[in-house]
Amino acid sequence: MKIEYPAFLESINASSLHVLSDENKHKLFDIHHHEAFNLDASVFRSYEEGRHLYIVHSGEFSLVLKNGVSKFMKRGAIFGEVATLEQLPRLGTVISQSEQSSLITFSHADLAASGLLPEQKQPNLLQVLFSNTVSYLHELLDTSIETLLKQGE
């Protein structure tokens, strides 16, 4: 299912992707999907294969990392990018915390085909997503990025 462009753009602009060009926002719109979730529904679990990245469109979700650290995510939050972009297992579990919540989703295959990933010489999206990941890992964990890399996170 798709959502209308103005609603899509509101969620994109609430996220760290607001820095993308209008052209790249349109590319994302063309490949997006919209998924609805009920309270306590699982989006994905630790160690599952990552094929999609997500932006919270409505409601609230919780991310619980393998080490037990939790983060609550609201509209504009991006998650799932590490596993999706690197084709790695998920680093945590995401559960809906709202009666009605929804996500904008993008598959790795669609992102690659759209020309938005580095293999296609478009590193802008990747830079924004990794910046997002580094900020929430640093926020959640009382450790340095160097230590995280050594631990394989």
Side-chain angles (χ1 to χ4, degrees):
M1 173 172 47
K2 301 259 186 191
I3 57 175
E4 297 296 322
Y5 188 70
F8 172 84
L9 198 55
E10 285 178 23
S11 290
I12 292 296
N13 286 335
S15 77
S16 55
L17 298 181
H18 72 276
V19 300
L20 294 178
S21 68
D22 288 342
E23 177 186 355
N24 284 343
K25 288 177 185 176
H26 281 283
K27 285 182 180 181
L28 285 174
F29 177 75
D30 289 342
I31 63 170
H32 91 278
H33 294 278
H34 182 252
E35 292 183 44
F37 294 84
N38 294 319
L39 180 64
D40 294 328
S42 173
V43 177
F44 58 74
R45 299 211 173 268
S46 293
Y47 305 107
E48 289 180 357
E49 183 179 347
R51 294 187 180 145
H52 294 84
L53 68 90
Y54 305 88
I55 299 175
V56 176
H57 180 65
S58 66
E60 189 171 286
F61 294 82
S62 65
L63 166 65
V64 180
L65 297 176
K66 293 185 293 187
N67 65 2
V69 175
S70 295
K71 177 181 180 175
F72 288 92
M73 300 174 293
K74 295 181 179 183
R75 187 175 201 162
I78 299 172
F79 62 92
E81 69 277 10
V82 173
T84 302
L85 297 176
E86 295 297 321
Q87 302 289 278
L88 296 170
R90 298 291 184 185
L91 298 175
T93 297
V94 175
I95 305 289
S96 171
Q97 298 298 310
S98 304
E99 289 293 331
Q100 295 181 347
S101 54
S102 66
L103 298 170
I104 297 171
T105 68
F106 305 97
S107 74
H108 181 274
D110 287 344
L111 288 167
S114 72
L116 289 167
L117 293 180
E119 298 88 47
Q120 306 296 325
K121 309 262 189 260
Q122 296 289 334
N124 197 9
L125 176 64
L126 187 65
Q127 290 168 348
V128 171
L129 293 174
F130 277 130
S131 173
N132 179 70
T133 302
V134 167
S135 70
Y136 77 70
L137 285 175
H138 182 68
E139 175 186 310
L140 289 173
L141 305 173
D142 188 25
T143 187
S144 70
I145 298 303
E146 182 178 314
T147 302
L148 291 173
L149 293 173
K150 286 180 183 175
Q151 293 173 350
E153 298 291 336

